[in-house]
Amino acid sequence: MKNCLAIILAGFLVSTATGAAPPRVAVDVGHTLADPGASSARGRSEFAFNLDFAKVLAAALRAEKIKVQEVNFDGLIGSLAERPAQARGSDFFIAVHHDSIAADYLEFWDWDGEEASYTTLKRGFGIFVSRRNPELAASLRCASAMGAMLRRAGFAPTPWHARKHQPADADNGVWYYDNLVVLHKATFPAVLFEAGVIKHREEELELRDPVRQARMADAVTTGIAACLYVSSAEAAEP
C-alpha cells in the first residue's frame, strides 16, 4: 500500500474527468440505546464509543468530498437487517464498533467505588468481512486498504482474532466473519470495524482522545477513498 496517496489522486482525477459522482459511504453506529453493547473498563457503553467515532469518521469522509449516509446515529434502529437496508444506494458500508473480550479473560478492579472488569491481554483494531457478501472482493480490497493506512498511521491490529476467525489479510488486521448480518445482508461492499478494545484500561482512554480519534478517522478515510476512487477509475476505463 506504499502508493495509496498516488492511487487516490489518480482515481480522483479520473472520476472528476469523467464526471463521475462522488462515492457514498454508509456509516453505521453499532448497537443501540436500548442494547448498548459491552461496557468499558470504566463502565462506559460501547454505543457511546461507537457514536463518538462515527461522528468523527463522517466528518473526515465529508472533508474528502465523500457523501455520507448516517445509519443509527440516533441509536433507535429496530433490527440488524435494517442497517444495510437504510444504506441502500451507498457504494460502501462501514459498521463502527469497539471490541471487548470473553469473560474468561477478565480481571477486576475498583473503579469509582465499584467493581469493574478489564483486560491486559487484548488491544488493537480489527476489521471483518463476510464471504456471504456478494461484493466480497471489493469488501476485502477496502478492508485491506483501511488496515494498511491504519498501520501506516501507527495503529496496530490485534492478533487475538486468530483464535476464532480465519485470516483474510491478517497483516492488516482483516478477518472473515461470515455470519455477521450487517455484512451478509448488504448488497454492496461492507466491513465491520472494531476501533479498539474498550476493556483494556489504557486503550480505553486512548480511544476517548479526540486527537487520536481524528488521526484514526483520517487513516480509515484514506483507506476507503483509495479503494473507492480506484474502483471508480477502473469502472470509467473503456
Side-chain angles (χ1 to χ4, degrees):
M1 302 303 295
K2 293 181 179 178
N3 298 316
C4 268
L5 294 177
I7 291 171
I8 294 168
L9 178 60
F12 177 75
L13 291 174
V14 170
S15 62
T16 301
T18 58
R24 178 186 296 273
V25 172
V27 178
D28 172 45
V29 181
H31 294 286
T32 63
L33 292 172
D35 178 16
S39 294
S40 74
R42 292 169 177 81
R44 190 170 190 247
S45 76
E46 182 190 346
F47 176 78
F49 281 88
N50 296 344
L51 180 60
D52 283 353
F53 184 73
K55 289 177 178 178
V56 178
L57 177 59
L61 289 164
R62 289 181 173 119
E64 294 301 320
K65 311 303 181 187
I66 295 173
K67 295 181 179 179
V68 175
Q69 173 66 45
E70 295 182 357
V71 178
N72 193 43
F73 275 56
D74 61 4
L76 300 176
I77 201 162
S79 69
L80 292 174
E82 262 189 71
R83 296 172 184 270
Q86 287 189 15
R88 286 195 186 104
S90 298
D91 299 293
F92 184 69
F93 177 93
I94 176 170
V96 174
H97 283 258
H98 287 72
D99 213 350
S100 185
I101 196 169
D104 291 346
Y105 302 103
L106 290 173
E107 300 177 60
F108 296 90
W109 68 318
D110 181 85
W111 169 249
D112 200 22
E114 296 185 4
E115 185 179 72
S117 58
Y118 72 95
T119 184
T120 60
L121 299 176
K122 178 183 178 185
R123 64 173 294 157
F125 73 84
I127 307 171
F128 294 99
V129 297
S130 170
R131 284 170 289 202
R132 296 175 63 187
N133 180 285
E135 296 287 347
L136 173 60
S139 299
L140 182 54
R141 183 167 63 246
C142 290
S144 292
M146 287 168 51
M149 291 299 97
L150 284 162
R151 291 176 60 214
R152 173 181 279 187
F155 299 103
T158 178
W160 191 266
H161 299 304
R163 294 165 176 254
K164 185 176 178 181
H165 299 283
Q166 293 184 341
D169 177 4
D171 287 345
N172 289 316
V174 186
W175 305 87
Y176 289 116
Y177 198 156
D178 294 332
N179 292 327
L180 283 172
V181 173
V182 295
L183 301 186
H184 74 72
K185 289 290 187 182
T187 56
F188 32 76
V191 306
L192 186 144
F193 175 56
E194 301 269 14
V197 180
I198 58 176
K199 279 295 187 187
H200 191 285
R201 290 181 294 185
E202 288 75 27
E203 188 166 44
E204 175 193 6
L205 296 178
E206 294 168 9
L207 289 163
R208 296 196 68 175
D209 177 14
V211 174
R212 185 187 190 276
Q213 289 174 355
R215 189 162 58 87
M216 176 170 268
D218 285 344
V220 171
T221 295
T222 301
I224 292 173
C227 170
L228 295 183
Y229 281 135
V230 167
S231 296
S232 176
E234 290 175 347
E237 291 179 355

